[in-house]
Structure formats: structure tokens, C-alpha cells
Amino acid sequence: GFSEAAVGSFEKYVHRMGRGDVWGELLGKNTVLHPPQALLPERERAEGPVRFAFVGADFYRKGGLECLKALHRLHAAGVRGWHFDVVGKVGRWADPRARTTEADGREAMRLLAAMSDAVSYRESVPHAEVLEGLGRSHYLLFPTFQDTYGYVVLEAMAAGCVPVATRTRSLPEVIVDGVNGVLIDVPVDAVGDAHNTATTAEEKARLVDALEAVLRGVLAGGHAEWVARSAAARDRIRAHHDPGRHRDA
């Protein structure tokens, strides 16, 4: 499996199918091998505005609206020194996994307009440009409600872009909170997803509160804190995702 979370999900499926008797044999044949990811060119980020990035076609399922709401609180309070680059389909608001409505879509567009001096938005860009953008960014915002792995997190870390993510599925296996990234606790279901447990209005509001606190902490931590986390992120990729390990496995 690609992660311990994936193995656990498969175990639950086997038992649900009434074949728990064969699980021990299947587990003995399983090896957890996290997806390969080569290190990306390291780009120097000068001290200055902290660049936050969001990448995800499924904008709402990956917590994009919550990111906008948290950043808007900072913007409305006059907190500057940051820029947010968004790549995602904001117009695709109908996502049952995120329990979004047309009103959410209108709210996202309103927030983008209200922060036009601090937010750049594109619906999609070629993958090479995504990687270049991560290489220019300090932090990836990824408060996802449901992802089997979250490959953009690996791409970000390979570029030295520090992930801020929810503690869902395999992400806690990759991100060490406060070391190579930041994890936000949300209620999850038996397989580690949050789309059935954290998408109520109340839980989304709590996520926005948590994101705001993290963002304020990141801005207060300054460049030196980012440098240490960025180096640790690249170390994680080097140690656990080297494509050479997969060739030898």
C-alpha cells in the first residue's frame, strides 16, 4: 500500500466483505511504500511577503473556501505581509463531499474580489507551472476534507514549500506537526476521512478558526521558522520518497 492509512482502509473493506479470516495472510504480503517523488529545484525565497499557495481542482473538497475565509479575517484586520496564490475551480461549487451550495460559490467569489490586492486566482494552469509556483511559495494550504493521499503535498515538500493540512488519511504519516509542516485536527471517520464528519457548518467554522490561528502563527514565526520547516520538508522527501528506493523495492 501507499500508506498505513491505505492498508487500514483495505483491512476494513476485507472485514466488511466477510473475509476477515484471510486478512493475516494478506497483511503478510503487504509492504507500505509511500509514493515516489523526486526533489524539485530549490528556489531561494527572499524575506518579504509570505506566499501561501492553494492547488486543487476540487476547490471546496480541499478546503479552499475555508482558506479564503481565514485569510479574509486577517485582511479585514489589516494584517498584511502575505499573498495567496489560488489554482482551483472556484466555480465548481456543487460537491456533495464538501456539502457546498451555490451560496458557497457566491461567497468564494465575493472573498476573492474583496482581497484582490492580496490574492491571485487562476482556474487551472499546466502542471509545470504548478511546480514552479510551489517553488516560489512558502506554505501550501491544504485543509482537505477527503484525499486518499494528497500528492500535491509531496510536490510542495519536494520544492521546500511547507504544507498546512488537516490531519486526515495519510497526511499525518508524511507531515510531522511543527517540524516539516503544520497539521490541524478535525473529526474523522473510521478510515481517516473528514467529509462525513467535518463538513457541518459548525465544524467548518472551527476549521476556519484553526486556520486563522495557524496563519497568524506562521506570519509571527517569520522567515527563520519557515527556513527550518522547509529544509525538514525536503529531508522527508529525500529519505522516504526517493524514486531510487522504489526501483530497488
Side-chain angles (χ1 to χ4, degrees), residues 100-232:
T100 45
T101 66
E102 186 176 357
D104 292 314
R106 290 195 298 268
E107 176 71 353
M109 296 306 297
R110 184 189 73 79
L111 294 173
L112 286 171
M115 298 186 289
S116 59
D117 61 318
V119 179
S120 302
Y121 165 62
R122 290 177 291 174
E123 186 173 273
S124 66
V125 299
H127 187 241
E129 289 188 33
V130 168
L131 299 182
E132 289 178 8
L134 292 173
R136 293 191 299 269
S137 300
H138 296 87
Y139 288 88
L140 171 74
L141 303 187
F142 194 70
T144 181
F145 294 111
Q146 182 194 41
D147 265 276
T148 53
Y149 201 96
Y151 294 101
V152 69
V153 169
L154 297 186
E155 293 174 329
M157 295 174 78
C161 179
V162 179
V164 174
T166 41
R167 195 185 295 271
T168 56
R169 279 290 185 109
S170 62
L171 294 176
E173 299 175 45
V174 178
I175 301 170
V176 180
D177 187 31
V179 177
N180 61 16
V182 180
L183 287 171
I184 298 173
D185 289 315
V186 292
V188 295
D189 60 20
V191 297
D193 280 332
H195 69 291
N196 290 318
T197 53
T199 51
T200 63
E202 294 79 9
E203 290 298 338
K204 286 182 176 180
R206 290 190 184 95
L207 177 55
V208 173
D209 289 344
L211 273 168
E212 180 189 1
V214 167
L215 295 171
R216 287 182 179 275
V218 161
L219 293 172
H223 191 70
E225 181 178 78
W226 170 79
V227 168
R229 290 175 173 177
S230 176

Side-chain angles (χ1 to χ4, degrees), residues 57 59-60 88-94 105-106 108-109 112 121 123:
F59 179 79
Y60 298 93
K89 297 186 182 299
V90 175
R92 188 193 290 172
W93 54 263
R106 290 195 298 268
M109 296 306 297
L112 286 171
Y121 165 62
E123 186 173 273

Side-chain angles (χ1 to χ4, degrees), residues 15-147:
H15 283 277
R16 192 165 61 246
M17 296 298 292
R19 294 309 310 274
D21 57 307
V22 302
W23 174 245
E25 180 183 353
L26 292 174
L27 183 62
K29 297 178 179 179
N30 181 78
T31 299
V32 173
L33 191 63
H34 288 272
Q37 173 64 56
L39 284 172
L40 297 173
E42 189 168 15
R43 301 175 186 273
E44 182 178 354
R45 284 86 152 178
E47 293 193 50
V50 175
R51 298 196 74 90
F52 298 114
F54 176 93
V55 179
D58 293 329
F59 179 79
Y60 298 93
R61 175 171 62 84
K62 296 178 185 292
L65 179 55
E66 286 65 41
C67 293
L68 288 178
K69 288 181 176 180
L71 284 166
H72 185 255
R73 291 181 182 180
L74 271 61
H75 191 269
V79 178
R80 296 296 189 269
W82 56 271
H83 190 88
F84 187 32
D85 293 300
V86 179
V87 177
K89 297 186 182 299
V90 175
R92 188 193 290 172
W93 54 263
D95 190 334
R97 292 166 297 182
R99 300 185 190 180
T100 45
T101 66
E102 186 176 357
D104 292 314
R106 290 195 298 268
E107 176 71 353
M109 296 306 297
R110 184 189 73 79
L111 294 173
L112 286 171
M115 298 186 289
S116 59
D117 61 318
V119 179
S120 302
Y121 165 62
R122 290 177 291 174
E123 186 173 273
S124 66
V125 299
H127 187 241
E129 289 188 33
V130 168
L131 299 182
E132 289 178 8
L134 292 173
R136 293 191 299 269
S137 300
H138 296 87
Y139 288 88
L140 171 74
L141 303 187
F142 194 70
T144 181
F145 294 111
Q146 182 194 41
D147 265 276

